Each structure stands twice: as C-alpha cells, then as structure tokens.
Amino acid sequence: MASPLLWDIFCKVIDNYGDIGVCWRLACQLAARGQRVRLWVDDANALHWMAPQGCPGVEVRPWAQPLALGGLAPSDVLVEAFGCEVAPEFIAACAEWTRSRGQNHAWINLEYLSAEPYVERNHGLPSPILHGPGTGLTKHFFYPGFTPRTGGLLREPDLLQRQAGFDRLAWLQQHGITPLPEARLVSLFCYEPPALPALLTGLASAGHPVQLLVAAGRSSTAVQTAIESRNRLHPSWNQRQTLSISYLPHMTQDDFDGLLWACELNFVRGEDSLVRALWAGRPFVWHIYPQHDDAHHTKLEAFLDLIEAPDSLRRFHYRWNEVDTQPLQAPDLARWAETAARARERLLVQADLVSQLLQFVARIRT
Ligand code: TRH
C-alpha cells in the first residue's frame, strides 16, 4: 500500500453550505483511508453543526490573509475546491517544495458536479503553470461525475452497511419526530422556489396525511413566507390539517443522511444533498443552484436525461426550477421510486471519488 500523503484542501464559502459540505466530506473520506488533511477554510461556522465531532486526521485551519505558513510541514497534494483561487503565498510554497524535493506537488482543481458532456472531455486535463508563483507546477482538473469517464461521486466505503443498519423509527424518535398514522414523511431542503405555495397546497390536499420536515435555514424561511401568503389568500388551504409541518434544527451531515433515509420523498438542492439523495435511493426532487444566465437549465436537463427521468418527474422539475410555469402536478412516487432505485444501482457500480482521486494523484506525482 502506498504511504499516506499530506493534503491541503482550500475551501472558500461563497454562500450556502455546499462548499464546506463537499470539502468536509472529501477531507474525512481521505482521512478514513489513512491520509492526513489540512482543511483551509475562510468561514468554518457551518462545521459547528455539520460536524461538531470533528474527524481524526483532519485539521481545520483558518484561511486568513495572509496565510500563516511559518514552520508549515510540506504537503504532497493541494486541492483547490471549486476554483477558489488559492493564496499565492501558498502556491509559491508548493513550487518551492517541488523544487527542493524533486517530486511533483499534485495540484488538483476540484470542479462542480454536472452531468453535462463537457465533464468527460475535461476530466483529468492538465494545465501547466507558466507564470507567477506557481511557475513549473501543473494544475489538473478533476471533475466529479456520474459516468465511468469522470471522477465519480463522494461515497463512504461503509455507506451500504450504515444504510442496512439504519433504524428509521429510532432515528425519528431520537429527533423528536413522531410519525403520524398513515402519514407520508417528506423532507424539504430548497432555496425559494416560486412553486413552494403550490407544493404546500398540493400536499395539504393529497388525500392522505403528509408530514413535512423542513431543513433549517433558507428552506424554513421560504416555507414560513409561503404559509403566510397561503393563509392570507386562501385561509382554508390546510383546514383539515392533513399537512403537518416541522422545522428541523441544523443537523450533522450523518443525521442529514438519516433524514433522507427516513423519508418517502426528499426535496434536495445544490450539489452535495443531491448526491446524498441518490445514495438514499428514495424518490427525490432537485432544486438546482440557480445561475444568472440560466446555465442551470442545461445542467438540469443533462441530469434528468442521465437518470432517465419519466415525464412526470421532468415536468415537476421544470416547474420547481422555474424552467416553465405549468401547474405543479402531484408527485408520482411509485414511478419516481423506480427511477431513484435504478439510478442508485447504476451509480453504485462506479468507483467512488476518493478512490479515483487517490489513483489519479499517485499517477500525476510520478
Ligand atoms: O447548501 P447548498 O445549496 O450548497 C450550494 C451548492 O453546493 C452549490 O452547488 C454551490 O455552488 C453553492 O452551495 C455555493 O446545498 P448542498 O450542496 O446540498 O450542501 C448542503 C450541505 O449541508 C450538505 O453537505 C448537507 C449539509 N447539511 C447538513 O449537514 N445538515 C443540515 O441540517 C442541512 C440542512 C444540510
């Protein structure tokens, strides 16, 4: 077995929880395979609830300006998450380590997740640095993805075991959630979809009780706003109280998994929770991170093609993500469950991201 490496992961929190969520998972999964990791982050606040337990082998360091590099042990790999532009003084140090040790310092640019075809074309491409503090180094692009010619998805080696041992009722009880008789449990993690009031009305008139578990943060605020507007415009929208709503506190990443495994339908968003919903294998709806030029519509389409989404799931996604303004139809859980199970099965065959990254780094360092 190759000797463990020292990794520096750089993470800039742009907004939301995805940047740090992905970097934390990556750091922990590397550490679980014997690697040592320094995670440099400009805002570590979310880690207080996402991972209060920390992780052996991962050291969280503040990405201050300038970086405190005095006496820093030379590392072997630099991961620049989502093109976050690593501090020039650190890149200069990497160039110096390469010169002094005569061994390549691997520099990885970890990209955003997409199912679009350019991912396969660009995955693994080198970009030699010809100017500036990193002159002589080569940056490599590493694209997560859903197909064998990409870097794969983050997945812990013990995921299936953990899932098999998951005790749904105990988990719900531990989180103060009492399942109502006959009720469907639905989790909601989203931004501010304009179709949210329509979703709530739809769930309230579904013909069976629904328990909606709303994630902390923007999702909670969005639901409260939507309810106020419903109450104002249609005071009787949930008169029979068939829809009950609970607002969840911020949970650890492990508990967030538990939430997705416990529910019959999961609304997820961004990048990391989408991957977790895929591993959960339950019907899901994705709120894609919106981009100004609507580039996310193409990204959404590529993903829906990838999972071979049936018509009902496509139409739901189009409305949820403002691709169109058609009325929101009721979820078709039976069909969507088949789609989710098939996607999961196919993706589980693929090597996970950390296994692929370790091999890739070993190759480019020689
Ligand atoms: O928070 P997000 O919307 O993050 C987004 C996306 O990553 C997007 O691509 C990126 O450009 C933008 O941030 C800056 O959604 P995402 O990616 O699902 O990340 C959420 C993380 O938060 C995920 O790791 C799960 C975690 N989480 C918890 O651990 N506990 C919780 O209670 C909640 C609500 C989330």
Side-chain angles (χ1 to χ4, degrees), residues 34-46:
Q35 310 294 301
R36 287 182 302 131
V37 184
R38 293 187 293 230
L39 174 59
W40 303 82
V41 55
D42 64 342
D43 176 0
N45 273 319

Side-chain angles (χ1 to χ4, degrees), residues 199-216:
L199 174 75
L200 296 179
T201 309
L203 294 178
S205 51
H208 51 79
V210 173
Q211 253 176 302
L212 186 66
L213 307 179
V214 184

Side-chain angles (χ1 to χ4, degrees), residues 16-351:
N16 303 310
Y17 317 135
D19 307 289
I20 188 64
V22 169
C23 289
W24 181 252
R25 262 190 220 290
L26 172 64
C28 296
Q29 289 183 32
L30 283 166
R33 292 176 213 203
Q35 310 294 301
R36 287 182 302 131
V37 184
R38 293 187 293 230
L39 174 59
W40 303 82
V41 55
D42 64 342
D43 176 0
N45 273 319
L47 288 181
H48 295 145
W49 47 263
M50 207 178 263
Q53 74 289 0
C55 175
V58 178
E59 182 195 344
V60 179
R61 290 194 162 220
W63 181 351
Q65 281 176 338
L67 273 187
L69 296 181
L72 194 72
S75 62
D76 306 294
V77 191
L78 161 62
V79 177
E80 178 177 356
F82 312 123
C84 65
E85 295 194 11
V86 174
E89 62 271 26
F90 192 85
I91 292 171
C94 293
E96 179 49 36
W97 293 333
T98 291
R99 274 190 293 273
S100 61
R101 296 191 296 184
Q103 172 144 49
N104 287 338
H105 194 94
W107 180 356
I108 303 292
N109 191 343
L110 177 69
E111 287 289 345
Y112 287 106
L113 175 64
S114 174
E116 291 164 277
Y118 73 84
V119 168
E120 288 192 348
R121 285 197 303 275
N122 295 353
H123 175 57
L125 287 185
S127 166
I129 309 296
L130 305 175
H131 308 283
T135 303
L137 296 175
T138 300
K139 194 195 278 211
H140 285 85
F141 293 91
F142 194 93
Y143 281 82
F146 304 94
T147 57
R149 284 163 59 195
T150 68
L153 301 173
L154 282 166
R155 187 182 76 230
E156 315 77 76
D158 66 346
L159 177 85
L160 297 185
Q161 247 170 297
R162 276 174 50 223
Q163 267 181 331
F166 180 65
D167 183 338
R168 180 175 184 262
L169 283 179
W171 187 92
L172 289 170
Q173 200 174 35
Q174 197 190 331
H175 289 84
I177 302 161
T178 312
L180 302 172
E182 315 278 311
R184 283 208 180 128
L185 275 187
V186 177
S187 76
L188 179 68
F189 184 40
C190 60
Y191 305 112
E192 293 80 20
L196 185 53
L199 174 75
L200 296 179
T201 309
L203 294 178
S205 51
H208 51 79
V210 173
Q211 253 176 302
L212 186 66
L213 307 179
V214 184
R218 285 173 71 174
S219 323
S220 273
T221 314
V223 168
Q224 281 156 16
T225 309
I227 289 177
E228 274 165 31
S229 110
R230 284 290 84 167
N231 288 345
R232 209 173 40 248
L233 298 171
H234 304 283
S236 59
W237 71 279
N238 191 22
Q239 204 170 27
R240 286 181 297 132
Q241 307 228 315
T242 33
L243 172 63
S244 83
I245 301 180
S246 310
Y247 297 97
L248 302 171
H250 276 123
M251 302 179 151
T252 64
Q253 269 189 338
D254 282 352
D255 274 333
F256 187 74
D257 270 345
L259 174 70
L260 301 184
W261 301 348
C263 288
E264 276 109 319
L265 170 64
N266 293 310
F267 285 80
V268 288
R269 75 182 199 196
E271 177 163 330
D272 190 55
S273 57
L274 171 68
V275 175
R276 304 319 288 184
L278 282 163
W279 296 143
R282 300 291 172 98
F284 64 88
V285 174
W286 183 28
H287 199 192
I288 191 167
Y289 185 76
Q291 288 165 265
H292 291 306
D293 49 3
D294 281 349
H296 58 289
H297 289 176
T298 315
K299 191 169 167 175
L300 175 66
E301 199 65 46
F303 177 74
L304 293 172
D305 287 348
L306 176 106
I307 60 166
E308 297 167 357
D311 240 36
S312 58
L313 189 56
R314 276 180 191 274
R315 275 185 272 120
F316 202 104
H317 273 87
Y318 293 156
R319 180 67 187 103
W320 194 241
N321 288 285
E322 295 176 77
V323 177
D324 66 28
T325 52
Q326 296 295 314
L328 201 65
Q329 302 293 326
D332 179 355
L333 289 194
R335 274 310 289 287
W336 299 4
E338 284 167 22
T339 307
R342 230 185 12 245
R344 177 175 181 273
E345 214 170 292
R346 233 177 323 134
L347 292 168
L348 279 175
V349 176
Q350 231 181 270

